[in-house]
Amino acid sequence: MTPYVGSIEKQTLKNGYFRQVLFTGKHAQLVVMCLQPGEEIGAEVHPNVDQFFRIEQGEAKFVFNEREENPVRDGDAVVVPAGTHHNVINTSKTAQLKLYTIYSPPNHPDGTVHKTKAEAEASEAAAHDLRHGNCSDRRDVPSRGNRSAARTK
């Protein structure tokens, strides 16, 4: 396994994709993210994964357990313990939110790149179907869009 060495700030600021995995190790994973104005990650919970966030550019709101709201901005860090329902919302109407996150243990397949949130959601839905043996055509399933209900990854 090759270690990650680089300017995480520069890579985060350069990234324009919703999600891009930079490094996956046995116990941790480094991911850069870019949320468009008003975009959110979507309510989620990772039962067995702790998650660290660092905001490099922009302003956001972290929502825990669908009620506790915490504003954050450039330079702020947030640690989300495993089992905590959470969402990250870009609160700007004009500027992108650039952040990086560390999952422990890893949460996405190594090398994952999702250019948009819609691409990420489609990939996660397909992975869910494979894990649960559902290989049916999903065209008849309504779009998941911005869901308010938490999902488990």
Side-chain angles (χ1 to χ4, degrees):
M1 176 178 312
T2 304
Y4 170 85
V5 178
S7 173
I8 190 60
E9 181 180 10
K10 287 180 183 173
Q11 284 197 274
T12 303
L13 294 173
K14 184 177 90 172
N15 175 55
Y17 294 151
F18 179 76
R19 177 184 296 129
Q20 182 176 7
V21 173
L22 297 181
F23 171 82
T24 301
K26 184 175 180 181
H27 301 287
Q29 182 172 61
L30 177 60
V31 178
V32 291
M33 297 187 75
C34 175
L35 275 64
Q36 299 304 315
E39 189 172 43
E40 61 185 80
I41 289 175
E44 60 185 4
V45 61
H46 309 295
N48 302 305
V49 177
D50 292 323
Q51 191 170 5
F52 167 88
F53 291 89
R54 164 90 154 105
I55 308 302
E56 290 293 345
Q57 175 184 298
E59 296 181 357
K61 176 172 57 176
F62 276 73
V63 180
F64 300 114
N65 300 315
E66 299 180 353
R67 62 184 175 274
E68 180 186 336
E69 297 185 2
N70 297 275
V72 296
R73 56 174 304 159
D74 305 4
D76 287 345
V78 176
V79 179
V80 179
T84 303
H85 290 259
H86 61 282
N87 192 3
V88 182
I89 303 164
N90 181 352
T91 54
S92 174
K93 296 190 183 327
T94 59
Q96 294 176 325
L97 175 67
K98 306 275 184 130
L99 62 89
Y100 67 88
T101 184
I102 299 171
Y103 295 93
S104 181
N107 193 58
H108 300 286
D110 190 30
T112 294
V113 175
H114 295 132
K115 294 181 180 180
T116 65
K117 181 179 178 183
E119 185 178 304
E121 288 179 336
S123 176
E124 290 169 3
H128 179 269
D129 287 348
L130 287 175
R131 283 192 305 270
H132 297 285
N134 180 4
C135 296
S136 64
D137 186 351
R138 295 189 53 84
R139 283 180 284 188
D140 62 337
V141 177
S143 171
R144 291 166 28 156
N146 280 339
R147 297 165 317 279
S148 60
R151 68 176 185 265
T152 302
K153 288 188 182 176

